Amino acid sequence: MKINEYYRDTAHLNLNGSIASLLPVIIIIAGNLTIFKTKEIMLLTIPFLIYSLVSFQFYLFRRRQSISIDRQLKKSEAGRRSLFESRHLLVFFLNTKSSRLLFYFPNGHLAGMIKRYRGSGTKKLSFSKIYALYSMENQNQAIGYYKVNGGKTIKIEVFNHRRQYLGSFERSKKDWRTSKKELLDSKGKFIGAVEGAVAFMDEQFINHDHFQEARLRRGWMPLEWRPLFPEPNTPVLSIRESLSEQEKLLRMSFLINEYFIER
């Protein structure tokens, strides 16, 4: 999926919402004409008509963005890189029945995604919540797994593609407003903490040497990316390039908490 296809799909979601909101309007009008026959009841159609109109305008807006981005993509180089080779990734959360977190290279091509892992056979009956990270180089095979354990302390266990345990992300409440977010290695040793702003998205992973290794922030995007990513507030994930793939996999666990738990 290229970035223009993402905007095209979100446009279709808005169109579906616009059409669906007309169904109550039809029911109200039909019921009024056949049963109630009063003018006042027609006022109930106004909120649905407004929502339908607004959704349709969003559909047209996203559709125009998709067409414009498609033209720009033809000028850009496709390239073939691994998800972990890029210093920066642009992050999109597709909030549908089957929610997904999408990662795009700055050239507009899909790098990978995180989505709920259902398993196969008897594993489908498991009540545990597991998310899998997929790279577009290995579309049918997960390159990492994140197992969420609830309770007073949220614990996200991280595994590589061989199901080897790499460590965990843990979030515990300090008070009603703030939380402590830490990353531990496979032996339970502290390797760093996630620090962030309350008012806006700016999550940083700071290691035990007080060095920033990963950052997710909104409102920072180079101007040269704008032709392919028209939304200036598109979140950007930056990860230290010198980290190994398994280290990056572990540090990306805070994204599970950010998008699938806290939101």
Side-chain angles (χ1 to χ4, degrees), residues 3 51-52 78 80 101 140 148 163 198 201 216 233 235 240:
I3 188 59
Y51 181 82
S52 179
R80 191 71 177 175
L101 192 61
N140 298 321
V148 180
R163 310 296 178 98
V198 177
M201 180 184 286
L216 176 71
N233 285 327
R240 185 180 175 187

Side-chain angles (χ1 to χ4, degrees), residues 7 16 48 75 77 97-99 104 113-114 135 138 168 203 228 245 253 255:
Y7 280 99
N16 292 339
F48 298 103
K75 302 175 186 178
E77 297 180 4
K97 186 178 180 181
S98 179
S99 299
Y104 284 89
M113 72 175 73
I114 294 177
S135 171
N138 304 281
S168 65
E203 297 281 307
L228 298 178
E245 290 190 4
S253 60
L255 297 174

Side-chain angles (χ1 to χ4, degrees), residues 7 90-92 200-201 216-221 226 229-236 259 263:
Y7 280 99
L90 292 101
V91 184
F92 291 81
F200 55 93
M201 180 184 286
L216 176 71
R217 54 180 166 170
R218 189 192 298 273
W220 178 89
M221 191 176 69
R226 287 290 300 275
F229 301 92
E231 301 293 336
N233 285 327
T234 299
V236 177
Y259 282 96
R263 289 180 177 273

Side-chain angles (χ1 to χ4, degrees), residues 71-221:
R71 296 190 186 120
Q72 296 296 327
L73 267 174
K74 293 175 182 177
K75 302 175 186 178
S76 68
E77 297 180 4
R80 191 71 177 175
R81 290 184 294 169
S82 166
L83 170 71
F84 293 125
E85 289 178 0
S86 182
R87 176 73 174 87
H88 302 292
L89 295 168
L90 292 101
V91 184
F92 291 81
F93 185 61
L94 194 58
N95 191 12
T96 59
K97 186 178 180 181
S98 179
S99 299
R100 289 172 289 168
L101 192 61
L102 307 176
F103 303 101
Y104 284 89
F105 294 122
N107 64 8
H109 293 263
L110 185 64
M113 72 175 73
I114 294 177
K115 63 180 180 179
R116 185 79 178 268
Y117 180 72
R118 301 294 179 181
S120 59
T122 57
K123 291 182 180 179
K124 284 189 175 182
L125 302 176
S126 174
F127 292 100
S128 60
K129 191 178 290 185
I130 301 175
Y131 295 90
L133 172 64
Y134 297 86
S135 171
M136 290 303 98
E137 287 189 328
N138 304 281
Q139 295 188 27
N140 298 321
Q141 185 176 2
I143 60 175
Y145 300 91
Y146 301 94
K147 183 179 179 181
V148 180
N149 300 291
K152 284 189 176 181
T153 299
I154 298 295
K155 184 175 181 179
I156 303 172
E157 297 176 319
V158 185
F159 304 85
N160 64 13
H161 67 283
R162 296 190 182 93
R163 310 296 178 98
Q164 295 172 326
Y165 180 61
L166 304 180
S168 65
F169 168 95
E170 294 188 5
R171 188 197 77 188
S172 57
K173 284 285 186 182
K174 295 176 68 176
D175 53 53
W176 67 277
R177 288 189 61 189
T178 59
S179 301
K180 182 172 68 172
K181 305 173 184 177
E182 298 180 333
L183 257 69
L184 310 175
D185 64 15
S186 58
K187 297 179 180 178
K189 182 181 177 182
F190 174 81
I191 58 175
V194 178
E195 302 174 359
V198 177
F200 55 93
M201 180 184 286
D202 188 2
E203 297 281 307
Q204 304 176 54
F205 173 73
I206 309 298
N207 65 16
H208 51 73
D209 294 323
H210 306 288
F211 188 84
Q212 178 186 294
E213 293 186 343
R215 187 174 190 177
L216 176 71
R217 54 180 166 170
R218 189 192 298 273
W220 178 89
M221 191 176 69

